[in-house]
Amino acid sequence: MSELLVAQLLTALALGLLGGGHCIGMCGGLMGALTMAIPPAQRRGWPLWRLLLAYNAGRIASYTLAGAIIGSLGWALHGLGLDLVLRGVAGLLMIAMGLYLANWWSGLTRIEGIGRGLWRQIEPHARRLLPVQRPGQALLLGGLWGWLPCGLVYSTLIWSSSHGDAATSALLMLAFGLGTLPTLLATGAAAERLTALLRRRSLRIGAALMVILFGVWTLPGPHQKWLIEQLSLPTAAQHAHG
């Protein structure tokens, strides 16, 4: 695995983790239904943690599938010679995500309207699965709920697809989904402590600046060559001394 791919996976993981506050806003009501509104007698002997894991596994699977689909589109655009355009859009979206994570600009949420038509078709089927009583039911519900319109998810999708490879895009979306797990799995006092930690201004701004810098690096231009040369200098020096 290349160092660049590792950096991209860590970026996707951080986006999911730091975007957890937004995830609570989007999925918090449903998670509340899973954790509070289902009496133990109605769970048919299944521990709550299994229902939560199954729901989140379905949700992350839908992110991964979407990554593969949109990544295939990115591959097609690369084939048409539009890879620089796609990378430019991805870089700008990364910068927008950084601004969103730092609470400096919330315009990212405006793109959520893209998927509202599809969600109107999916939501009735998802609602019929409530109340959740079995892991299989929770898995299916999560798979459907993963298509809920979300600006953060959509932006990460477009960024992941800019690599022009369906497998890489799917892998990045898997990492993003895993990053959202701690916030959505935590309950009660643990959820409050985790949310408070993620809302610390110093943490959010530090992470946001890293995402913005990664977005600037993603933008096509002569600055990329300069950055690569700077990063390769230590390695070249080590080989020379060796």
Side-chain angles (χ1 to χ4, degrees):
M1 185 179 294
S2 68
E3 293 180 0
L4 179 58
L5 180 57
V6 171
Q8 291 165 345
L9 289 171
L10 291 176
T11 300
L13 195 69
L15 287 172
L17 178 61
L18 295 170
H22 185 66
C23 292
I24 290 176
M26 301 295 287
C27 301
L30 181 59
M31 296 303 291
L34 288 172
T35 57
M36 300 296 294
I38 309 173
Q42 291 185 5
R43 294 179 196 150
R44 298 187 179 181
W46 293 104
L48 179 59
W49 66 268
R50 289 194 179 184
L51 298 179
L52 293 176
L53 279 179
Y55 165 78
N56 283 286
R59 180 178 58 83
I60 294 171
S62 68
Y63 292 167
T64 306
L65 175 61
I69 294 171
I70 303 300
S72 299
L73 177 60
W75 173 83
L77 291 176
H78 272 253
L80 295 174
L82 298 175
D83 51 313
L84 291 181
V85 175
L86 190 59
R87 285 185 61 181
V89 172
L92 292 174
L93 282 172
M94 287 290 289
I95 294 171
M97 279 191 278
L99 295 173
Y100 170 80
L101 291 174
N103 293 322
W104 289 334
W105 185 64
S106 58
L108 190 66
T109 57
R110 295 175 186 171
I111 69 172
E112 291 173 0
I114 295 174
R116 285 176 186 161
L118 175 63
W119 179 243
R120 280 195 291 268
Q121 304 299 318
I122 295 176
E123 184 180 18
H125 300 287
R127 294 286 180 185
R128 292 192 190 101
L129 294 169
L130 293 172
V132 174
Q133 300 176 3
R134 299 178 301 275
Q137 195 178 0
L139 181 69
L140 182 57
L141 177 63
L144 294 176
W145 213 266
W147 299 95
L148 179 73
C150 174
L152 189 63
V153 173
Y154 289 171
S155 299
T156 308
L157 267 174
I158 296 173
W159 166 68
S160 66
S161 71
S162 68
H163 300 87
D165 180 76
T168 299
S169 180
L171 189 60
L172 290 174
M173 290 307 298
L174 173 62
F176 169 79
L178 292 175
T180 66
L181 270 180
T183 306
L184 290 180
L185 282 179
T187 58
E192 293 178 4
R193 287 194 293 268
L194 181 58
T195 302
L197 175 64
L198 294 176
R199 287 178 178 172
R200 285 186 180 178
R201 184 168 178 79
S202 58
L203 175 64
R204 295 188 69 86
I205 290 180
L209 289 175
M210 291 180 63
V211 172
I212 291 172
L213 287 174
F214 199 84
V216 172
W217 186 88
T218 302
L219 290 171
H223 63 288
Q224 285 193 332
K225 182 179 179 181
W226 180 83
L227 285 172
I228 291 174
E229 289 176 349
Q230 296 305 310
L231 291 173
S232 63
L233 283 177
T235 303
Q238 289 174 3
H239 285 301
H241 287 294

